Amino acid sequence: MLHGNIHRHLLTLSLINWGIAIVCWVISAWLGISQPASIFVYTILFVVGLFAAIVAVLSFVLADFGSEPGEAGAETAASPAGDASGPVADPGA
């Protein structure tokens, strides 16, 4: 699967999806100008481009606000003694 920096992978996914969206919209515009086609061709290309743009934005936002799985686990594992996380030994016993 994905190894290494997950933020870099999400940003790469975002750029790839923006590329897909731009290519779909350029092809749709070129077909509309040079060779008028069926409305279904334009609709399919527009929807694919729109979906790619949405995935690009979501992966960019997730890369900004997400955290590595190892970091979140390390923060919860180190809890200070005396909190409500479990029994604490009596120092006077």
Side-chain angles (χ1 to χ4, degrees), residues 41-83:
V41 174
Y42 302 127
T43 304
I44 290 171
L45 286 171
F46 180 77
V47 169
V48 169
L50 186 63
F51 180 73
I54 290 170
V55 170
V57 169
L58 290 177
S59 62
F60 181 76
V61 169
L62 184 62
D64 281 347
F65 294 108
S67 63
E68 295 286 335
E71 293 174 5
E75 292 173 3
T76 58
S79 60
D83 65 353

Side-chain angles (χ1 to χ4, degrees), residues 9-26:
H9 293 299
L10 287 171
L11 292 175
T12 303
L13 177 66
S14 177
L15 290 175
I16 290 170
N17 278 299
W18 276 119
I20 291 171
I22 291 169
V23 166
C24 285
W25 291 333
V26 165

Side-chain angles (χ1 to χ4, degrees), residues 18-42:
W18 276 119
I20 291 171
I22 291 169
V23 166
C24 285
W25 291 333
V26 165
I27 291 173
S28 176
W30 178 76
L31 285 175
I33 293 170
S34 66
Q35 303 170 5
S38 171
I39 191 70
F40 295 113
V41 174
Y42 302 127

